[in-house]
PDB file of all heavy atoms in Angstrom:
ATOM      1  N   GLU A  23       0.860  -1.243   0.068  1.00  0.00           N
ATOM      2  CA  GLU A  23      -0.060   0.012   0.031  1.00  0.00           C
ATOM      3  C   GLU A  23       0.844   1.290  -0.047  1.00  0.00           C
ATOM      4  O   GLU A  23       0.720   2.187  -0.700  1.00  0.00           O
ATOM      5  CB  GLU A  23      -0.923  -0.041   1.180  1.00  0.00           C
ATOM      6  CG  GLU A  23      -1.764  -1.198   1.413  1.00  0.00           C
ATOM      7  CD  GLU A  23      -0.950  -2.284   2.135  1.00  0.00           C
ATOM      8  OE1 GLU A  23      -0.089  -1.974   3.006  1.00  0.00           O
ATOM      9  OE2 GLU A  23      -1.181  -3.515   1.857  1.00  0.00           O
ATOM     10  N   LYS A  24       1.975   1.207   0.786  1.00  0.00           N
ATOM     11  CA  LYS A  24       2.755   2.374   0.924  1.00  0.00           C
ATOM     12  C   LYS A  24       3.650   2.651  -0.528  1.00  0.00           C
ATOM     13  O   LYS A  24       3.831   3.697  -0.866  1.00  0.00           O
ATOM     14  CB  LYS A  24       3.803   2.296   1.968  1.00  0.00           C
ATOM     15  CG  LYS A  24       3.192   2.320   3.385  1.00  0.00           C
ATOM     16  CD  LYS A  24       4.181   2.172   4.466  1.00  0.00           C
ATOM     17  CE  LYS A  24       3.555   2.239   5.770  1.00  0.00           C
ATOM     18  NZ  LYS A  24       4.507   2.091   6.890  1.00  0.00           N
ATOM     19  N   ILE A  25       3.880   1.456  -0.972  1.00  0.00           N
ATOM     20  CA  ILE A  25       4.645   1.530  -2.282  1.00  0.00           C
ATOM     21  C   ILE A  25       3.709   2.056  -3.456  1.00  0.00           C
ATOM     22  O   ILE A  25       4.233   2.933  -4.327  1.00  0.00           O
ATOM     23  CB  ILE A  25       5.337   0.158  -2.695  1.00  0.00           C
ATOM     24  CG1 ILE A  25       6.420  -0.138  -1.683  1.00  0.00           C
ATOM     25  CG2 ILE A  25       5.772   0.160  -4.062  1.00  0.00           C
ATOM     26  CD1 ILE A  25       7.030  -1.516  -1.785  1.00  0.00           C
ATOM     27  N   VAL A  26       2.492   1.696  -3.436  1.00  0.00           N
ATOM     28  CA  VAL A  26       1.601   2.182  -4.351  1.00  0.00           C
ATOM     29  C   VAL A  26       1.347   3.728  -4.241  1.00  0.00           C
ATOM     30  O   VAL A  26       1.451   4.445  -5.142  1.00  0.00           O
ATOM     31  CB  VAL A  26       0.223   1.466  -4.187  1.00  0.00           C
ATOM     32  CG1 VAL A  26      -0.979   2.110  -5.021  1.00  0.00           C
ATOM     33  CG2 VAL A  26       0.232  -0.012  -4.625  1.00  0.00           C
ATOM     34  N   ARG A  27       1.220   4.116  -3.033  1.00  0.00           N
ATOM     35  CA  ARG A  27       0.992   5.546  -2.726  1.00  0.00           C
ATOM     36  C   ARG A  27       2.263   6.368  -3.182  1.00  0.00           C
ATOM     37  O   ARG A  27       2.155   7.355  -3.815  1.00  0.00           O
ATOM     38  CB  ARG A  27       0.802   5.839  -1.333  1.00  0.00           C
ATOM     39  CG  ARG A  27       0.432   7.288  -0.948  1.00  0.00           C
ATOM     40  CD  ARG A  27       0.179   7.557   0.480  1.00  0.00           C
ATOM     41  NE  ARG A  27       1.136   6.938   1.392  1.00  0.00           N
ATOM     42  CZ  ARG A  27       2.264   7.682   1.685  1.00  0.00           C
ATOM     43  NH1 ARG A  27       2.635   8.743   1.248  1.00  0.00           N
ATOM     44  NH2 ARG A  27       3.166   7.106   2.597  1.00  0.00           N
ATOM     45  N   LEU A  28       3.325   5.830  -2.858  1.00  0.00           N
ATOM     46  CA  LEU A  28       4.587   6.501  -3.196  1.00  0.00           C
ATOM     47  C   LEU A  28       4.984   6.599  -4.570  1.00  0.00           C
ATOM     48  O   LEU A  28       5.416   7.600  -5.159  1.00  0.00           O
ATOM     49  CB  LEU A  28       5.781   5.830  -2.309  1.00  0.00           C
ATOM     50  CG  LEU A  28       7.157   6.572  -2.402  1.00  0.00           C
ATOM     51  CD1 LEU A  28       7.086   8.021  -1.953  1.00  0.00           C
ATOM     52  CD2 LEU A  28       8.150   5.785  -1.560  1.00  0.00           C
ATOM     53  N   THR A  29       4.802   5.464  -5.331  1.00  0.00           N
ATOM     54  CA  THR A  29       5.194   5.392  -6.719  1.00  0.00           C
ATOM     55  C   THR A  29       4.181   5.726  -7.703  1.00  0.00           C
ATOM     56  O   THR A  29       4.394   6.039  -8.832  1.00  0.00           O
ATOM     57  CB  THR A  29       5.675   3.835  -7.026  1.00  0.00           C
ATOM     58  OG1 THR A  29       4.504   3.023  -6.935  1.00  0.00           O
ATOM     59  CG2 THR A  29       6.832   3.371  -6.250  1.00  0.00           C
ATOM     60  N   GLU A  30       2.845   5.659  -7.183  1.00  0.00           N
ATOM     61  CA  GLU A  30       1.724   5.927  -7.999  1.00  0.00           C
ATOM     62  C   GLU A  30       1.564   4.797  -9.051  1.00  0.00           C
ATOM     63  O   GLU A  30       0.837   5.093 -10.037  1.00  0.00           O
ATOM     64  CB  GLU A  30       1.837   7.276  -8.598  1.00  0.00           C
ATOM     65  CG  GLU A  30       1.792   8.426  -7.528  1.00  0.00           C
ATOM     66  CD  GLU A  30       1.792   9.819  -8.057  1.00  0.00           C
ATOM     67  OE1 GLU A  30       2.110  10.074  -9.324  1.00  0.00           O
ATOM     68  OE2 GLU A  30       1.440  10.796  -7.272  1.00  0.00           O
ATOM     69  N   TYR A  31       2.100   3.585  -8.825  1.00  0.00           N
ATOM     70  CA  TYR A  31       1.905   2.551  -9.733  1.00  0.00           C
ATOM     71  C   TYR A  31       0.509   1.830  -9.403  1.00  0.00           C
ATOM     72  O   TYR A  31       0.058   2.073  -8.205  1.00  0.00           O
ATOM     73  CB  TYR A  31       2.920   1.529  -9.650  1.00  0.00           C
ATOM     74  CG  TYR A  31       4.308   1.906 -10.239  1.00  0.00           C
ATOM     75  CD1 TYR A  31       5.464   1.316  -9.911  1.00  0.00           C
ATOM     76  CD2 TYR A  31       4.524   2.950 -11.068  1.00  0.00           C
ATOM     77  CE1 TYR A  31       6.750   1.645 -10.389  1.00  0.00           C
ATOM     78  CE2 TYR A  31       5.688   3.389 -11.663  1.00  0.00           C
ATOM     79  CZ  TYR A  31       6.811   2.697 -11.247  1.00  0.00           C
ATOM     80  OH  TYR A  31       7.982   3.087 -11.802  1.00  0.00           O
ATOM     81  N   SER A  32       0.041   1.109 -10.241  1.00  0.00           N
ATOM     82  CA  SER A  32      -1.342   0.486  -9.868  1.00  0.00           C
ATOM     83  C   SER A  32      -0.982  -0.652  -8.765  1.00  0.00           C
ATOM     84  O   SER A  32      -0.090  -1.207  -8.787  1.00  0.00           O
ATOM     85  CB  SER A  32      -1.779  -0.209 -11.179  1.00  0.00           C
ATOM     86  OG  SER A  32      -1.167  -1.351 -11.447  1.00  0.00           O
ATOM     87  N   PRO A  33      -2.111  -0.812  -7.970  1.00  0.00           N
ATOM     88  CA  PRO A  33      -1.984  -1.723  -6.943  1.00  0.00           C
ATOM     89  C   PRO A  33      -1.764  -3.123  -7.518  1.00  0.00           C
ATOM     90  O   PRO A  33      -1.138  -4.036  -6.929  1.00  0.00           O
ATOM     91  CB  PRO A  33      -3.421  -1.680  -6.233  1.00  0.00           C
ATOM     92  CG  PRO A  33      -3.918  -0.373  -6.591  1.00  0.00           C
ATOM     93  CD  PRO A  33      -3.382   0.094  -7.930  1.00  0.00           C
ATOM     94  N   GLU A  34      -2.304  -3.411  -8.667  1.00  0.00           N
ATOM     95  CA  GLU A  34      -2.210  -4.696  -9.372  1.00  0.00           C
ATOM     96  C   GLU A  34      -0.697  -4.970  -9.736  1.00  0.00           C
ATOM     97  O   GLU A  34      -0.179  -6.053  -9.518  1.00  0.00           O
ATOM     98  CB  GLU A  34      -3.033  -4.905 -10.568  1.00  0.00           C
ATOM     99  CG  GLU A  34      -4.547  -4.748 -10.312  1.00  0.00           C
ATOM    100  CD  GLU A  34      -5.061  -3.393 -10.073  1.00  0.00           C
ATOM    101  OE1 GLU A  34      -4.416  -2.399 -10.401  1.00  0.00           O
ATOM    102  OE2 GLU A  34      -6.192  -3.252  -9.574  1.00  0.00           O
ATOM    103  N   TYR A  35      -0.027  -3.916 -10.230  1.00  0.00           N
ATOM    104  CA  TYR A  35       1.292  -4.158 -10.712  1.00  0.00           C
ATOM    105  C   TYR A  35       2.284  -4.334  -9.470  1.00  0.00           C
ATOM    106  O   TYR A  35       3.031  -5.332  -9.506  1.00  0.00           O
ATOM    107  CB  TYR A  35       1.841  -2.911 -11.463  1.00  0.00           C
ATOM    108  CG  TYR A  35       3.223  -3.048 -11.815  1.00  0.00           C
ATOM    109  CD1 TYR A  35       3.632  -3.985 -12.863  1.00  0.00           C
ATOM    110  CD2 TYR A  35       4.272  -2.427 -11.143  1.00  0.00           C
ATOM    111  CE1 TYR A  35       5.104  -4.115 -13.229  1.00  0.00           C
ATOM    112  CE2 TYR A  35       5.558  -2.613 -11.439  1.00  0.00           C
ATOM    113  CZ  TYR A  35       6.010  -3.396 -12.421  1.00  0.00           C
ATOM    114  OH  TYR A  35       7.325  -3.649 -12.659  1.00  0.00           O
ATOM    115  N   VAL A  36       2.058  -3.499  -8.474  1.00  0.00           N
ATOM    116  CA  VAL A  36       2.858  -3.690  -7.191  1.00  0.00           C
ATOM    117  C   VAL A  36       2.620  -4.993  -6.597  1.00  0.00           C
ATOM    118  O   VAL A  36       3.554  -5.652  -6.200  1.00  0.00           O
ATOM    119  CB  VAL A  36       2.646  -2.459  -6.282  1.00  0.00           C
ATOM    120  CG1 VAL A  36       3.377  -2.779  -4.986  1.00  0.00           C
ATOM    121  CG2 VAL A  36       3.030  -1.190  -6.856  1.00  0.00           C
ATOM    122  N   ALA A  37       1.331  -5.456  -6.574  1.00  0.00           N
ATOM    123  CA  ALA A  37       1.102  -6.797  -6.017  1.00  0.00           C
ATOM    124  C   ALA A  37       1.777  -8.032  -6.784  1.00  0.00           C
ATOM    125  O   ALA A  37       2.113  -8.915  -6.238  1.00  0.00           O
ATOM    126  CB  ALA A  37      -0.511  -6.985  -5.967  1.00  0.00           C
ATOM    127  N   GLU A  38       1.763  -7.884  -8.053  1.00  0.00           N
ATOM    128  CA  GLU A  38       2.373  -8.797  -8.966  1.00  0.00           C
ATOM    129  C   GLU A  38       3.930  -8.873  -8.619  1.00  0.00           C
ATOM    130  O   GLU A  38       4.373 -10.117  -8.458  1.00  0.00           O
ATOM    131  CB  GLU A  38       2.125  -8.448 -10.430  1.00  0.00           C
ATOM    132  CG  GLU A  38       2.648  -9.413 -11.467  1.00  0.00           C
ATOM    133  CD  GLU A  38       2.425  -8.956 -12.846  1.00  0.00           C
ATOM    134  OE1 GLU A  38       1.257  -8.540 -13.095  1.00  0.00           O
ATOM    135  OE2 GLU A  38       3.320  -9.007 -13.650  1.00  0.00           O
ATOM    136  N   VAL A  39       4.526  -7.793  -8.586  1.00  0.00           N
ATOM    137  CA  VAL A  39       5.961  -7.772  -8.278  1.00  0.00           C
ATOM    138  C   VAL A  39       6.316  -8.244  -6.950  1.00  0.00           C
ATOM    139  O   VAL A  39       7.131  -9.135  -6.671  1.00  0.00           O
ATOM    140  CB  VAL A  39       6.634  -6.376  -8.521  1.00  0.00           C
ATOM    141  CG1 VAL A  39       8.044  -6.332  -8.013  1.00  0.00           C
ATOM    142  CG2 VAL A  39       6.589  -5.999  -9.996  1.00  0.00           C
ATOM    143  N   ALA A  40       5.378  -7.793  -6.015  1.00  0.00           N
ATOM    144  CA  ALA A  40       5.512  -8.197  -4.585  1.00  0.00           C
ATOM    145  C   ALA A  40       5.393  -9.736  -4.343  1.00  0.00           C
ATOM    146  O   ALA A  40       6.134 -10.269  -3.519  1.00  0.00           O
ATOM    147  CB  ALA A  40       4.608  -7.478  -3.682  1.00  0.00           C
ATOM    148  N   GLU A  41       4.467 -10.241  -5.041  1.00  0.00           N
ATOM    149  CA  GLU A  41       4.188 -11.724  -5.024  1.00  0.00           C
ATOM    150  C   GLU A  41       5.482 -12.429  -5.390  1.00  0.00           C
ATOM    151  O   GLU A  41       5.853 -13.513  -4.721  1.00  0.00           O
ATOM    152  CB  GLU A  41       2.990 -12.210  -5.835  1.00  0.00           C
ATOM    153  CG  GLU A  41       2.771 -13.643  -5.795  1.00  0.00           C
ATOM    154  CD  GLU A  41       1.522 -14.059  -6.709  1.00  0.00           C
ATOM    155  OE1 GLU A  41       0.719 -13.043  -7.099  1.00  0.00           O
ATOM    156  OE2 GLU A  41       1.472 -15.202  -7.116  1.00  0.00           O
ATOM    157  N   ARG A  42       6.068 -12.037  -6.566  1.00  0.00           N
ATOM    158  CA  ARG A  42       7.273 -12.628  -6.874  1.00  0.00           C
ATOM    159  C   ARG A  42       8.481 -12.556  -5.939  1.00  0.00           C
ATOM    160  O   ARG A  42       9.224 -13.518  -5.632  1.00  0.00           O
ATOM    161  CB  ARG A  42       7.750 -12.077  -8.309  1.00  0.00           C
ATOM    162  CG  ARG A  42       6.798 -12.343  -9.391  1.00  0.00           C
ATOM    163  CD  ARG A  42       7.171 -11.532 -10.638  1.00  0.00           C
ATOM    164  NE  ARG A  42       6.254 -11.651 -11.728  1.00  0.00           N
ATOM    165  CZ  ARG A  42       5.968 -10.730 -12.594  1.00  0.00           C
ATOM    166  NH1 ARG A  42       6.733  -9.688 -12.651  1.00  0.00           N
ATOM    167  NH2 ARG A  42       5.039 -11.039 -13.557  1.00  0.00           N
ATOM    168  N   LEU A  43       8.578 -11.416  -5.341  1.00  0.00           N
ATOM    169  CA  LEU A  43       9.650 -11.109  -4.353  1.00  0.00           C
ATOM    170  C   LEU A  43       9.421 -11.936  -3.166  1.00  0.00           C
ATOM    171  O   LEU A  43      10.353 -12.456  -2.629  1.00  0.00           O
ATOM    172  CB  LEU A  43       9.824  -9.599  -4.152  1.00  0.00           C
ATOM    173  CG  LEU A  43      10.157  -8.819  -5.323  1.00  0.00           C
ATOM    174  CD1 LEU A  43      10.024  -7.267  -4.985  1.00  0.00           C
ATOM    175  CD2 LEU A  43      11.667  -8.969  -5.770  1.00  0.00           C
ATOM    176  N   ARG A  44       8.196 -12.005  -2.701  1.00  0.00           N
ATOM    177  CA  ARG A  44       7.932 -12.875  -1.459  1.00  0.00           C
ATOM    178  C   ARG A  44       8.125 -14.290  -1.825  1.00  0.00           C
ATOM    179  O   ARG A  44       8.535 -15.047  -0.863  1.00  0.00           O
ATOM    180  CB  ARG A  44       6.437 -12.590  -1.053  1.00  0.00           C
ATOM    181  CG  ARG A  44       6.375 -11.250  -0.389  1.00  0.00           C
ATOM    182  CD  ARG A  44       4.951 -11.094   0.325  1.00  0.00           C
ATOM    183  NE  ARG A  44       4.889  -9.867   0.985  1.00  0.00           N
ATOM    184  CZ  ARG A  44       4.281  -8.726   0.438  1.00  0.00           C
ATOM    185  NH1 ARG A  44       3.597  -8.797  -0.697  1.00  0.00           N
ATOM    186  NH2 ARG A  44       4.408  -7.639   1.089  1.00  0.00           N
ATOM    187  N   ALA A  45       7.672 -14.882  -3.062  1.00  0.00           N
ATOM    188  CA  ALA A  45       7.953 -16.210  -3.294  1.00  0.00           C
ATOM    189  C   ALA A  45       9.365 -16.653  -3.242  1.00  0.00           C
ATOM    190  O   ALA A  45       9.633 -17.817  -2.893  1.00  0.00           O
ATOM    191  CB  ALA A  45       7.315 -16.472  -4.639  1.00  0.00           C
ATOM    192  N   SER A  46      10.188 -15.717  -3.525  1.00  0.00           N
ATOM    193  CA  SER A  46      11.605 -16.056  -3.482  1.00  0.00           C
ATOM    194  C   SER A  46      12.396 -15.498  -2.153  1.00  0.00           C
ATOM    195  O   SER A  46      13.524 -15.526  -2.161  1.00  0.00           O
ATOM    196  CB  SER A  46      12.353 -15.282  -4.648  1.00  0.00           C
ATOM    197  OG  SER A  46      12.059 -16.034  -5.913  1.00  0.00           O
ATOM    198  N   ARG A  47      11.408 -15.048  -1.302  1.00  0.00           N
ATOM    199  CA  ARG A  47      11.935 -14.657   0.074  1.00  0.00           C
ATOM    200  C   ARG A  47      12.887 -13.426  -0.081  1.00  0.00           C
ATOM    201  O   ARG A  47      13.605 -13.124   0.938  1.00  0.00           O
ATOM    202  CB  ARG A  47      12.531 -15.751   0.843  1.00  0.00           C
ATOM    203  CG  ARG A  47      11.631 -16.850   1.256  1.00  0.00           C
ATOM    204  CD  ARG A  47      12.233 -18.227   1.430  1.00  0.00           C
ATOM    205  NE  ARG A  47      13.587 -18.467   0.883  1.00  0.00           N
ATOM    206  CZ  ARG A  47      13.763 -18.765  -0.393  1.00  0.00           C
ATOM    207  NH1 ARG A  47      12.730 -18.961  -1.162  1.00  0.00           N
ATOM    208  NH2 ARG A  47      14.904 -19.004  -0.902  1.00  0.00           N
ATOM    209  N   LEU A  48      12.722 -12.654  -1.047  1.00  0.00           N
ATOM    210  CA  LEU A  48      13.460 -11.326  -1.029  1.00  0.00           C
ATOM    211  C   LEU A  48      12.740 -10.277  -0.256  1.00  0.00           C
ATOM    212  O   LEU A  48      13.322  -9.449   0.349  1.00  0.00           O
ATOM    213  CB  LEU A  48      13.614 -10.793  -2.511  1.00  0.00           C
ATOM    214  CG  LEU A  48      14.447 -11.664  -3.396  1.00  0.00           C
ATOM    215  CD1 LEU A  48      14.457 -11.128  -4.844  1.00  0.00           C
ATOM    216  CD2 LEU A  48      15.883 -11.773  -2.852  1.00  0.00           C
ATOM    217  N   TRP A  49      11.474 -10.491  -0.061  1.00  0.00           N
ATOM    218  CA  TRP A  49      10.653  -9.822   0.856  1.00  0.00           C
ATOM    219  C   TRP A  49       9.931 -10.789   1.853  1.00  0.00           C
ATOM    220  O   TRP A  49       9.436 -11.805   1.424  1.00  0.00           O
ATOM    221  CB  TRP A  49       9.509  -9.049   0.218  1.00  0.00           C
ATOM    222  CG  TRP A  49       9.795  -7.937  -0.562  1.00  0.00           C
ATOM    223  CD1 TRP A  49      10.986  -7.362  -0.907  1.00  0.00           C
ATOM    224  CD2 TRP A  49       8.877  -6.990  -1.124  1.00  0.00           C
ATOM    225  NE1 TRP A  49      10.946  -6.148  -1.638  1.00  0.00           N
ATOM    226  CE2 TRP A  49       9.564  -5.965  -1.899  1.00  0.00           C
ATOM    227  CE3 TRP A  49       7.461  -6.939  -1.174  1.00  0.00           C
ATOM    228  CZ2 TRP A  49       9.000  -4.936  -2.556  1.00  0.00           C
ATOM    229  CZ3 TRP A  49       6.787  -5.883  -2.004  1.00  0.00           C
ATOM    230  CH2 TRP A  49       7.556  -4.931  -2.629  1.00  0.00           C
ATOM    231  N   SER A  50      10.074 -10.523   3.091  1.00  0.00           N
ATOM    232  CA  SER A  50       9.412 -11.351   4.082  1.00  0.00           C
ATOM    233  C   SER A  50       9.093 -10.502   5.335  1.00  0.00           C
ATOM    234  O   SER A  50       9.902  -9.845   5.824  1.00  0.00           O
ATOM    235  CB  SER A  50      10.228 -12.493   4.515  1.00  0.00           C
ATOM    236  OG  SER A  50      11.437 -12.162   5.080  1.00  0.00           O
ATOM    237  N   GLY A  51       7.796 -10.600   5.753  1.00  0.00           N
ATOM    238  CA  GLY A  51       7.373  -9.694   6.804  1.00  0.00           C
ATOM    239  C   GLY A  51       7.727  -8.268   6.551  1.00  0.00           C
ATOM    240  O   GLY A  51       7.373  -7.685   5.640  1.00  0.00           O
ATOM    241  N   GLU A  52       8.618  -7.723   7.424  1.00  0.00           N
ATOM    242  CA  GLU A  52       8.976  -6.292   7.326  1.00  0.00           C
ATOM    243  C   GLU A  52      10.480  -6.216   6.729  1.00  0.00           C
ATOM    244  O   GLU A  52      11.078  -5.153   6.742  1.00  0.00           O
ATOM    245  CB  GLU A  52       8.918  -5.579   8.598  1.00  0.00           C
ATOM    246  CG  GLU A  52       7.472  -5.440   9.041  1.00  0.00           C
ATOM    247  CD  GLU A  52       6.584  -4.520   8.209  1.00  0.00           C
ATOM    248  OE1 GLU A  52       7.004  -3.560   7.601  1.00  0.00           O
ATOM    249  OE2 GLU A  52       5.450  -5.060   7.888  1.00  0.00           O
ATOM    250  N   ALA A  53      11.091  -7.396   6.335  1.00  0.00           N
ATOM    251  CA  ALA A  53      12.514  -7.449   5.979  1.00  0.00           C
ATOM    252  C   ALA A  53      12.669  -7.607   4.504  1.00  0.00           C
ATOM    253  O   ALA A  53      11.896  -8.105   3.805  1.00  0.00           O
ATOM    254  CB  ALA A  53      13.129  -8.586   6.707  1.00  0.00           C
ATOM    255  N   LEU A  54      13.823  -7.058   3.943  1.00  0.00           N
ATOM    256  CA  LEU A  54      14.280  -7.189   2.570  1.00  0.00           C
ATOM    257  C   LEU A  54      15.585  -8.121   2.639  1.00  0.00           C
ATOM    258  O   LEU A  54      16.336  -7.998   3.469  1.00  0.00           O
ATOM    259  CB  LEU A  54      14.617  -5.855   1.958  1.00  0.00           C
ATOM    260  CG  LEU A  54      13.545  -4.692   2.005  1.00  0.00           C
ATOM    261  CD1 LEU A  54      14.154  -3.512   1.575  1.00  0.00           C
ATOM    262  CD2 LEU A  54      12.319  -5.231   1.302  1.00  0.00           C
ATOM    263  N   ASP A  55      15.616  -8.999   1.651  1.00  0.00           N
ATOM    264  CA  ASP A  55      16.841  -9.815   1.501  1.00  0.00           C
ATOM    265  C   ASP A  55      17.389  -9.800   0.128  1.00  0.00           C
ATOM    266  O   ASP A  55      17.591 -10.792  -0.506  1.00  0.00           O
ATOM    267  CB  ASP A  55      16.491 -11.308   1.877  1.00  0.00           C
ATOM    268  CG  ASP A  55      17.825 -12.170   2.028  1.00  0.00           C
ATOM    269  OD1 ASP A  55      18.884 -11.605   2.348  1.00  0.00           O
ATOM    270  OD2 ASP A  55      17.628 -13.381   1.923  1.00  0.00           O
ATOM    271  N   TYR A  56      17.665  -8.476  -0.340  1.00  0.00           N
ATOM    272  CA  TYR A  56      18.296  -8.265  -1.714  1.00  0.00           C
ATOM    273  C   TYR A  56      19.792  -8.683  -1.411  1.00  0.00           C
ATOM    274  O   TYR A  56      20.417  -8.597  -0.432  1.00  0.00           O
ATOM    275  CB  TYR A  56      18.237  -6.864  -2.140  1.00  0.00           C
ATOM    276  CG  TYR A  56      16.791  -6.352  -2.233  1.00  0.00           C
ATOM    277  CD1 TYR A  56      16.582  -4.954  -2.056  1.00  0.00           C
ATOM    278  CD2 TYR A  56      15.707  -7.111  -2.707  1.00  0.00           C
ATOM    279  CE1 TYR A  56      15.234  -4.431  -2.139  1.00  0.00           C
ATOM    280  CE2 TYR A  56      14.480  -6.496  -2.825  1.00  0.00           C
ATOM    281  CZ  TYR A  56      14.219  -5.148  -2.518  1.00  0.00           C
ATOM    282  OH  TYR A  56      12.999  -4.597  -2.691  1.00  0.00           O
ATOM    283  N   GLY A  57      20.381  -8.922  -2.562  1.00  0.00           N
ATOM    284  CA  GLY A  57      21.784  -9.037  -2.630  1.00  0.00           C
ATOM    285  C   GLY A  57      22.412  -7.638  -2.476  1.00  0.00           C
ATOM    286  O   GLY A  57      21.756  -6.680  -2.494  1.00  0.00           O
ATOM    287  N   ASP A  58      23.768  -7.621  -2.274  1.00  0.00           N
ATOM    288  CA  ASP A  58      24.494  -6.352  -2.242  1.00  0.00           C
ATOM    289  C   ASP A  58      24.508  -5.775  -3.626  1.00  0.00           C
ATOM    290  O   ASP A  58      25.241  -6.331  -4.447  1.00  0.00           O
ATOM    291  CB  ASP A  58      25.868  -6.618  -1.558  1.00  0.00           C
ATOM    292  CG  ASP A  58      26.740  -5.382  -1.750  1.00  0.00           C
ATOM    293  OD1 ASP A  58      26.237  -4.232  -1.863  1.00  0.00           O
ATOM    294  OD2 ASP A  58      27.996  -5.597  -1.576  1.00  0.00           O
TER     295      ASP A  58
END
């Protein structure tokens, strides 16, 4: 919700990207696990 508000991207697009990032555990709970 915060990313949608901040970026002004559609909720559907952000949800699609978020789902992929969560499925790979790059996003979990309140944490990020990106590479350096």
Side-chain angles (χ1 to χ4, degrees):
E23 310 80 31
K24 291 179 181 177
I25 293 171
V26 166
R27 182 179 54 80
L28 185 59
T29 63
E30 299 180 343
Y31 291 165
S32 73
E34 296 80 15
Y35 177 75
V36 173
E38 182 180 315
V39 172
E41 180 180 341
R42 294 172 184 152
L43 294 170
R44 285 191 179 98
S46 288
R47 296 158 332 284
L48 295 175
W49 286 9
S50 59
E52 295 299 315
L54 305 176
D55 189 25
Y56 301 148
D58 173 18

